[in-house]
Amino acid sequence: MSSKIEDDRPVRAADAPPRRVRSSYPEPFASMMEGRVKRPLGDLFGLENFGVNLTTLPPGSRSALHHSHSRQDEFVYVVSGRLTLHVGSCTHHLERGDCYGFPAGGDAHHLVNEGTEDATVLEVGDRSAGDRVEYPEDDLAARLDEEGRWTFTHKDGVPYAGR
């Protein structure tokens, strides 16, 4: 988690500092998130039970790998721009004001900016210890441990080199 703000003043979300690392995925997957800018808003206030990110996706970028959570519910709200939501085998076009929820154990999903302008989305998800993430299109699996750290392995359980 990032450090908590030191005073009790409100924060302009777009001015919050971006996350220091571009992605927690191991390579080669981290490079696939190039361009994505996440501002971890919940961390600014010391929120521990759920996360809130303001994420900007430039044209051609994506929110995440196609994934589904075993325990975590997720919710997205489009603040600006247009995005394509891939959920299960379907696609939906989302624009400013649209939202979508992903219950734990549901279909795999991700967002892609296929437009010509930046798009910004508010992401909300809980931080359920023991959550497992499946990536049906990639040789990747993830688990959230009791300390809130993600562990990434190949689907056969072998850890990624350097992790």
Side-chain angles (χ1 to χ4, degrees), residues 76-153:
V76 295
Y77 174 84
V78 180
V79 175
S80 66
R82 297 176 58 100
L83 293 163
T84 301
L85 168 63
H86 297 266
V87 59
S89 60
C90 299
T91 59
H92 303 281
H93 297 285
L94 304 177
E95 57 188 40
R96 181 180 170 191
D98 289 342
C99 61
Y100 202 95
F102 311 96
D107 288 332
H109 56 275
H110 70 283
L111 296 165
V112 178
N113 183 347
E114 296 174 345
T116 58
E117 298 180 11
D118 285 358
T120 300
V121 62
L122 187 68
E123 305 168 324
V124 180
D126 66 73
R127 295 177 171 166
S128 300
D131 184 28
R132 294 185 184 277
V133 184
E134 293 185 20
Y135 301 88
E137 299 175 356
D138 299 291
D139 181 21
L140 186 66
R143 181 178 182 280
L144 187 64
D145 68 20
E146 296 297 325
E147 287 78 41
R149 293 180 306 233
W150 287 105
T151 302
F152 293 95
T153 64

Side-chain angles (χ1 to χ4, degrees), residues 1-140:
M1 260 190 263
S2 301
S3 57
K4 185 176 184 268
I5 57 174
E6 295 299 319
D7 57 38
D8 61 357
R9 290 181 289 156
V11 172
R12 181 164 305 283
D15 294 338
R19 189 168 71 179
R20 292 188 185 115
V21 295
R22 67 179 185 216
S23 172
S24 58
Y25 292 139
E27 287 297 350
F29 308 109
S31 294
M32 296 168 71
M33 301 303 110
E34 202 61 48
R36 175 185 78 175
V37 177
K38 283 188 177 275
R39 298 177 189 286
L41 303 178
D43 292 354
L44 291 176
F45 300 98
L47 303 181
E48 295 182 7
N49 295 323
F50 64 95
V52 180
N53 296 311
L54 184 67
T55 301
T56 300
L57 301 174
S61 66
R62 61 192 299 168
S63 62
L65 297 173
H66 200 64
H67 71 285
S68 64
H69 290 268
S70 66
R71 294 187 178 178
Q72 183 183 124
D73 289 335
E74 292 180 285
F75 176 85
V76 295
Y77 174 84
V78 180
V79 175
S80 66
R82 297 176 58 100
L83 293 163
T84 301
L85 168 63
H86 297 266
V87 59
S89 60
C90 299
T91 59
H92 303 281
H93 297 285
L94 304 177
E95 57 188 40
R96 181 180 170 191
D98 289 342
C99 61
Y100 202 95
F102 311 96
D107 288 332
H109 56 275
H110 70 283
L111 296 165
V112 178
N113 183 347
E114 296 174 345
T116 58
E117 298 180 11
D118 285 358
T120 300
V121 62
L122 187 68
E123 305 168 324
V124 180
D126 66 73
R127 295 177 171 166
S128 300
D131 184 28
R132 294 185 184 277
V133 184
E134 293 185 20
Y135 301 88
E137 299 175 356
D138 299 291
D139 181 21
L140 186 66

